[in-house]
Amino acid sequence: MYAIVKTGGKQYKVAVGDVVEVEKLEGDSGTEVTFPAVLVVDGTDVTADANALAKVSVTGKLVEQTKGPKIRIHKFKNKTGYQKRQGHRQKLTRVEVTGITK
């Protein structure tokens, strides 16, 4: 059984026991979180109906707060002497999926 969940503007395919990195969620390690399910697949049974998905809950436990890889941004305009450098590291949360209930 697996589910497609939505968080942080993105969708993730998760199963029980998976550890996924999602956009930063507030909370300390061990905090329980629930995600809204977009799709649930159980063998050959596929659930995509909004009324049926309202009863589905995908729960997880926060493992740790981390950061993604460093992204270097360099802007350059030819013949004007304009150069700008900037860096970014996205804050992420590692979540372990503990249950998918129908």
Side-chain angles (χ1 to χ4, degrees), residues 2 4-5 9 37 39 72 77:
Y2 68 89
I4 307 293
V5 296
L39 179 81
R72 291 183 176 85
K77 290 191 180 176

Side-chain angles (χ1 to χ4, degrees), residues 9-22:
K10 298 181 178 97
Q11 294 180 357
Y12 300 91
K13 178 183 174 183
V14 297
V16 176
D18 286 354
V19 177
V20 290
E21 285 186 345
V22 299

Side-chain angles (χ1 to χ4, degrees), residues 48-80:
D49 183 38
N51 294 331
L53 288 174
K55 300 171 189 170
V56 174
S57 67
V58 178
T59 58
K61 180 177 68 171
L62 297 184
V63 177
E64 66 177 337
Q65 304 286 351
T66 62
K67 287 186 178 181
K70 177 83 169 193
I71 297 172
R72 291 183 176 85
I73 301 142
H74 186 187
K75 296 181 180 180
F76 175 82
K77 290 191 180 176
N78 196 15
K79 300 179 184 174
T80 61

